């Protein structure tokens, strides 16, 4: 009988491990860190702030799924530019209907690569959709360049 290593978020891994136990000799659940979910998000206020932005920047797939859970019809209702920290996040945005997503195409990914792309942009209003415990690199540099920046953790 095979050994199966399960890597999922904590709530999901336990249920899947129990379902697979009768079929396998060894189940090794490895719960992954789960993104913190904001319960106190004031959706109308956030929607108003973000709708005034020219470009939405998503820093992870978690941010994309979180945004889509609260605002499932957003892409069809708003004509904004979408940026992603990398190709995986861009693919998730496109799966939810956000087309022409801009993301770093160089060998380097992440905040630094995204900032290199943004360094020549004219002044804009950005909304950064990111985790609660963000590093703040994008926000700080964009503000230093004179852009208006809203963060939605």
């Amino acid at each position: 009988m095979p050994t199966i290593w399960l890597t999922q978020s904590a709530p999901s891994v336990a249920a899947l491990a129990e379902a697979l136990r009768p079929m396998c000799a060894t189940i090794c659940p490895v719960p992954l860190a789960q993104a913190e979910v904001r319960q106190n998000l004031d959706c109308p206020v956030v929607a108003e702030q973000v709708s005034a932005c020219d470009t939405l920047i998503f820093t992870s797939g978690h941010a994309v799924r979180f945004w889509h859970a609260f605002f499932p019809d957003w892409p069809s209702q708003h004509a904004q530019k979408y940026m992603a920290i990398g190709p995986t996040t861009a693919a998730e945005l496109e799966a939810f209907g956000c087309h022409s997503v801009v993301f770093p195409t160089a060998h380097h990914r992440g905040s630094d690569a995204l900032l290199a792309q943004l360094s020549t942009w004219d002044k804009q209003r950005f909304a950064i959709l990111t985790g609660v415990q963000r590093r703040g690199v994008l926000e700080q540099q964009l503000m230093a360049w004179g852009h208006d920046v809203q963060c939605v953790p």
Side-chain angles (χ1 to χ4, degrees):
M1 300 270 265
T3 297
I4 297 179
W5 291 81
L6 299 176
T7 55
Q8 290 187 333
S9 61
S12 301
V13 77
L16 185 55
E18 287 307 310
L20 290 174
R21 251 184 243 295
M23 297 179 258
C24 303
T26 308
I27 301 289
C28 299
V30 182
L32 302 176
Q34 184 164 342
E36 181 179 338
V37 177
R38 295 275 310 267
Q39 299 298 326
N40 61 345
L41 184 68
D42 188 348
C43 289
V45 170
V46 169
E48 183 178 331
Q49 291 172 341
V50 173
S51 67
C53 293
D54 304 304
T55 303
L56 277 58
I57 300 174
F58 289 82
T59 62
S60 69
H62 286 296
V64 173
R65 291 185 298 276
F66 173 81
W67 186 255
H68 184 70
F70 280 93
F71 305 101
D73 297 325
W74 190 271
S76 64
Q77 296 174 351
H78 299 274
Q80 293 168 307
K81 294 177 197 144
Y82 295 92
M83 297 192 80
I85 205 78
T88 304
T89 305
E92 290 207 36
L93 278 166
E94 289 177 352
F96 287 122
C98 303
H99 302 291
S100 302
V101 178
V102 176
F103 61 95
T105 56
H107 295 294
H108 300 287
R109 305 268 189 253
S111 300
D112 294 333
L114 197 56
L115 286 168
Q117 256 182 288
L118 292 168
S119 64
T120 59
W121 283 35
D122 291 332
K123 303 297 180 260
Q124 294 202 21
R125 291 169 298 189
F126 289 95
I128 301 174
L129 292 97
T130 187
V132 174
Q133 297 177 346
R134 65 188 184 274
R135 290 180 24 216
V137 173
L138 287 171
E139 177 183 4
Q140 292 167 10
Q141 186 59 56
L142 289 171
M143 289 172 63
W145 288 337
H147 297 286
D148 181 15
V149 180
Q150 300 282 331
C151 276
V152 181

